[in-house]
Amino acid sequence: MIDALWDPERLAAAQPPEPPAPADLTETRLLADLRRGEVSAFEELYRRQVRALYGFALRLSCRPAEAEELTQEVFVRAWEARGTFASLAHFKNWLRRVTVNEWINRIRRHRPLALDADDGTADEAAALASSSAPPGLRLDLERALAQLSPRLRAVLLLFDLYGLDHAEIGELLGMTVGASKVQLHRARRRLRELYGSS
Amino acid sequence: MKHDDAPRPEHDAALDDWLAGDLAPGSDAERALFATMPEDDAALHDELTAHREIRSQVRALPLELAPERDLWPQIAARIEVGDAESPPPSGGFWDRTISLPRWAALAALLAVAVGVGLLVGYERTAPEVAPLAVSSPAPLPPATGVDGRTGPALAAYAETDRALATIREELLRSIEARQAKLPPETRAVVFENLRTIDSAIDEIEAALAAAPADEQLARTYIAYRERQIAVLRQANELAARL
């Protein structure tokens, strides 16, 4: 599936990147400093990215403590891989990709049967909702999301909230495009059941 | 056709695709069905409404959330320990000054290191797999200026660099996905070389900022970008074979 990325026509048709916005220029400089091993640049990049990455980790895991651990782990790995980041977009995609991989690996290590089982973390979902959103409908939605199995939740969030397509989701989660579509359908159906009953 | 509560997997899957704007070409019948049915079918109308409502609520969830405590001190402590155990390559071979003979020496070193590192991996693998097809942009045209500071090469430099950046981005994404397949020693060689190349590129970029009309620097910069892509391409091909 990933070989679809290597379609020469697609590459040839790719448009030149847009000139970076001023904010991006600052971050591009920070990234160059990071590649040279400057910790201060890494800390600044961390400060700029931590809310997005922690939010991503928390959405996936629905467990604040686990999301903190994931965030820490991924930034430590980012430091170790600092020489490989070619662009800011690459850096951000890398953070997200490694977060997903690490999250799945942790589930497989510690809760091997949990990946496809309903999560049943309503209490923590309530904590999540109360800390991150106004009360009411969103709390119910967050509670319902937290009760989805990790795999269904990941597919649904990656597609609906983070805007990835099925090929990207399949690559991240190790499934085919067709399987990703099926999982998305199941996730939506299950979410409606849970949301309707909450 | 009336909607009921019985499962209709063929329509459910298509319905998801339709809602996502991703209904396959040639599905005109289903497209028309979904577009017109809600008017005649109250149950389907309700289902679609609920579906869209949940989707819009999911999309409205905040993407950024702040951790309850500052995670940086622990990250800083861990990277400090990590660096003490295996300090990153810096100083020594590369200092603050730019010298072309060092680039030449580094290029030779890289050729040997990458070659040895990847060949170790290749020997373990079956070679009968089609290589990844990634088109490279045209090389820079030859310099025409007598003093080496004029000619079409500098004009082509930015365009070539943009094209290389696109390819590099694709290759980097792929090698991230595939790197787990590489033997650890090969992976170490690949990423060590990429780090070294990046350091060299940073140095050349700094030199180019000071001397933007220097055609030799521009050529060297492009050469290193091409070398970086060659390393990524080799690593991807190897990972694809494993």
Side-chain angles (χ1 to χ4, degrees):
Chain A
M1 176 178 47
I2 195 168
D3 287 338
L5 292 172
W6 310 110
D7 179 0
E9 289 183 6
R10 179 174 175 271
L11 288 173
Q15 296 297 311
E18 293 288 325
D24 287 346
L25 281 175
T26 303
E27 293 189 330
T28 300
R29 272 190 225 104
L30 288 171
L31 200 62
D33 291 342
L34 168 62
R35 284 199 295 265
R36 282 191 285 271
E38 290 186 18
V39 176
S40 59
F42 186 50
E43 181 178 1
E44 182 59 29
L45 282 166
Y46 159 83
R47 303 262 173 230
R48 289 166 181 248
Q49 299 299 324
V50 66
R51 291 171 60 90
L53 191 69
Y54 175 77
F56 185 61
L58 189 54
R59 292 272 168 238
L60 287 176
S61 68
C62 291
R63 291 173 163 85
E66 187 174 355
E68 287 187 358
E69 287 175 14
L70 282 168
T71 305
Q72 275 187 37
E73 179 66 29
V74 171
F75 274 107
V76 169
R77 289 207 206 165
W79 173 257
E80 291 167 355
R82 60 192 177 277
T84 65
F85 300 127
S87 66
L88 192 61
H90 175 225
F91 178 63
K92 291 177 180 176
N93 285 338
W94 187 97
L95 292 175
R96 192 180 286 183
R97 181 187 303 274
V98 173
T99 301
V100 172
N101 288 342
E102 177 63 17
W103 173 63
I104 290 176
N105 288 339
R106 280 170 182 245
I107 292 175
R108 286 182 174 145
R109 274 200 305 271
H110 303 302
R111 294 175 284 150
L113 301 178
L115 203 54
D116 292 305
D118 279 1
D119 221 2
T121 53
D123 289 346
E124 286 170 281
L128 162 65
S130 63
S131 68
S132 67
L137 288 176
R138 187 175 288 166
L139 188 145
D140 291 338
L141 177 64
E142 303 226 23
R143 182 180 290 124
L145 277 168
Q147 287 178 320
L148 287 177
S149 76
R151 195 192 302 273
L152 291 186
R153 184 168 60 242
V155 172
L156 187 138
L157 289 173
L158 290 171
F159 191 90
D160 278 346
L161 183 58
Y162 290 95
L164 273 64
D165 62 30
H166 287 294
E168 293 168 319
I169 292 170
E171 188 184 324
L172 268 178
L173 301 180
M175 61 176 72
T176 64
V177 168
S180 174
K181 288 184 176 183
V182 169
Q183 298 281 328
L184 178 64
H185 170 69
R186 286 181 186 159
R188 284 177 172 161
R189 181 167 288 274
R190 182 76 181 120
L191 183 63
R192 283 182 54 196
E193 290 169 6
L194 292 165
Y195 194 37
S197 67
S198 62
Chain B
M1 182 175 174
K2 282 285 180 187
H3 174 79
D4 54 41
D5 289 330
R8 295 180 304 165
E10 75 285 0
H11 281 157
D12 285 342
L15 183 61
D16 277 341
D17 288 346
W18 182 64
L19 288 167
D22 194 27
L23 196 57
S27 305
D28 294 342
E30 281 165 319
R31 189 174 283 109
L33 178 71
F34 295 139
T36 57
M37 274 187 67
E39 296 172 7
D40 309 325
D41 188 326
L44 180 59
H45 179 270
D46 291 347
E47 184 177 342
L48 276 175
T49 302
H51 207 127
R52 284 174 170 149
E53 201 169 291
I54 289 184
R55 240 178 23 127
S56 70
Q57 286 183 30
V58 169
R59 287 179 175 179
L61 290 171
L63 292 172
E64 296 196 347
L65 300 168
E68 290 185 359
R69 61 193 176 92
D70 185 5
L71 306 177
W72 176 253
Q74 282 158 299
I75 294 171
R78 285 182 63 186
I79 65 179
E80 192 175 337
V81 170
D83 283 352
E85 288 172 353
S86 57
S90 62
F93 190 82
W94 288 100
D95 59 20
R96 289 285 176 191
T97 60
I98 302 293
S99 68
L100 290 176
R102 290 186 187 190
W103 292 343
L106 179 64
L109 183 67
L110 288 175
V112 172
V114 174
V116 169
L118 294 182
L119 282 174
V120 166
Y122 274 119
E123 285 175 1
R124 301 178 176 190
T125 64
E128 300 302 320
V129 178
L132 297 170
V134 179
S135 304
S136 292
L140 289 177
T144 55
V146 175
D147 62 0
R149 290 181 179 273
T150 58
L154 278 177
Y157 154 69
E159 184 183 346
T160 306
D161 191 33
R162 276 197 298 273
L164 289 174
T166 303
I167 295 170
R168 191 172 64 248
E169 200 70 36
E170 300 280 356
L171 287 165
L172 280 166
R173 281 177 53 197
S174 176
I175 194 63
E176 281 166 22
R178 292 173 162 175
Q179 62 170 301
K181 294 181 179 176
L182 293 171
E185 64 273 25
T186 305
R187 194 166 56 216
V189 168
V190 167
F191 285 102
E192 181 64 24
N193 277 284
L194 288 174
R195 271 194 291 274
T196 309
I197 293 171
D198 272 322
S199 297
I201 286 170
D202 287 343
E203 297 279 0
I204 301 167
E205 278 177 340
L208 266 174
D214 191 322
E215 192 171 278
Q216 180 63 43
L217 277 175
R219 288 178 174 283
T220 308
Y221 178 85
I222 293 296
Y224 270 90
R225 283 299 193 200
E226 287 173 335
R227 183 67 203 152
Q228 185 182 37
I229 284 170
V231 172
L232 286 167
R233 188 178 281 141
Q234 277 183 286
N236 269 298
E237 288 175 2
L238 174 59
R241 288 176 163 88
L242 295 176

